[in-house]
Amino acid sequence: MVIKNVSLETVCGITSKIPENKHPEVAFAGKSNVGKSSLINALMNRKSLARTSSQPGKTQTINYYNVNDAIYFVDLPGYGYARANENVKAQWGRMIENYLHKSRQLKTVFLLVDIRHAPSANDAVMYDWICNNSFQPVIVATKLDKIKRSQIQKQIRQIRDTLGASENTLIIPFSAQTKQGKEEIYEVIDTFLEIKTPSQMGE
């Protein structure tokens, strides 16, 4: 995947209607401190287009990034912020579930978990939501540079076992520092890009 241009096209709040986009969408979900913005910025080859709120838990929206006018990267609200009250947490949950249920162009969801730890209860709930909406999640194990190479397979097994994920579930270790895993994620995204035939290109 070659990134030519990106733009933040749509921002949806709690009361916003899910847009009916014409291009495929791939979504990114994860708890508020898992490195989601860093991953999305790395994929878009931008330093700070996807911004982390200075007040986690305050600014929570669904952000649609138009990439190459061919596909959307959809940044879902970070969940699990400990200081958010229960009403706010419930609103985030409804936003995410509404998107998973109603988006007609959503092709897959990348679920981010911290490779250093077993997935949390919130991670498990999100994994189940994704599966219950008929999607096969791709798990991205972030912060790869924080562990030793010898620990990688053990941590991946822990993630798979904790979530109850099958052996067919793809788990991609990723580091925002070294960009390891970036090409593997691109390969997944590329499968959802529309490939035009010669006749369509001549239209």
Side-chain angles (χ1 to χ4, degrees):
M1 186 176 193
V2 178
I3 305 298
K4 296 179 180 178
N5 53 77
V6 297
S7 63
L8 175 58
E9 185 172 293
T10 308
V11 176
C12 288
I14 291 170
T15 60
S16 302
K17 182 180 178 181
I18 298 297
E20 296 182 5
N21 291 319
K22 63 180 181 178
H23 298 310
E25 300 169 7
V26 294
F28 299 85
K31 59 186 178 183
S32 56
N33 62 344
V34 77
K36 186 156 51 67
S37 294
S38 296
L39 169 65
I40 294 172
N41 282 325
L43 293 175
M44 296 190 300
N45 291 334
R46 298 295 189 274
K47 289 185 177 180
S48 59
L49 186 56
R51 293 184 180 276
T52 301
S53 173
S54 59
Q55 292 182 294
K58 296 294 185 182
T59 306
Q60 292 290 326
T61 54
I62 300 176
N63 299 331
Y64 292 75
Y65 296 93
N66 185 325
V67 180
N68 294 345
D69 199 28
I71 194 167
Y72 287 95
F73 290 179
V74 182
D75 185 4
L76 299 177
Y79 55 81
Y81 181 60
R83 291 174 61 185
N85 64 47
E86 293 304 315
N87 182 53
V88 170
K89 290 179 182 178
Q91 289 177 331
W92 298 346
R94 286 194 295 272
M95 285 177 67
I96 295 170
E97 198 164 25
N98 182 55
Y99 171 75
L100 294 175
H101 182 65
K102 292 187 176 180
S103 174
R104 296 182 180 181
Q105 292 289 3
L106 179 60
K107 302 304 179 184
T108 197
V109 181
F110 291 94
L111 175 60
L112 280 63
V113 298
D114 189 329
I115 198 169
R116 299 173 296 177
H117 312 294
S120 67
N122 285 322
D123 293 327
V125 168
M126 177 57 64
Y127 179 83
D128 289 342
W129 276 359
I130 296 167
C131 294
N132 291 339
N133 280 279
S134 302
F135 296 103
Q136 176 62 54
V138 176
I139 299 169
V140 179
T142 62
K143 307 192 180 183
L144 176 62
D145 52 285
K146 303 294 186 181
I147 66 171
K148 297 177 180 178
R149 184 179 296 272
S150 60
Q151 296 176 296
I152 295 174
Q153 291 308 314
K154 176 186 174 183
Q155 295 306 108
I156 288 177
R157 171 52 60 187
Q158 182 183 55
I159 290 168
R160 194 181 299 280
D161 290 346
T162 303
L163 294 177
S166 71
E167 293 298 327
N168 294 328
T169 300
L170 183 60
I171 300 180
I172 302 174
F174 173 79
S175 167
Q177 298 298 319
T178 68
K179 305 301 186 289
Q180 184 175 340
K182 180 177 175 180
E183 291 304 319
E184 288 87 343
I185 297 171
Y186 276 162
E187 288 177 9
V188 175
I189 294 172
D190 282 343
T191 65
F192 303 111
L193 289 170
E194 297 177 3
I195 300 175
K196 294 185 178 182
T197 64
S199 61
Q200 289 175 315
M201 293 175 68
E203 291 177 357

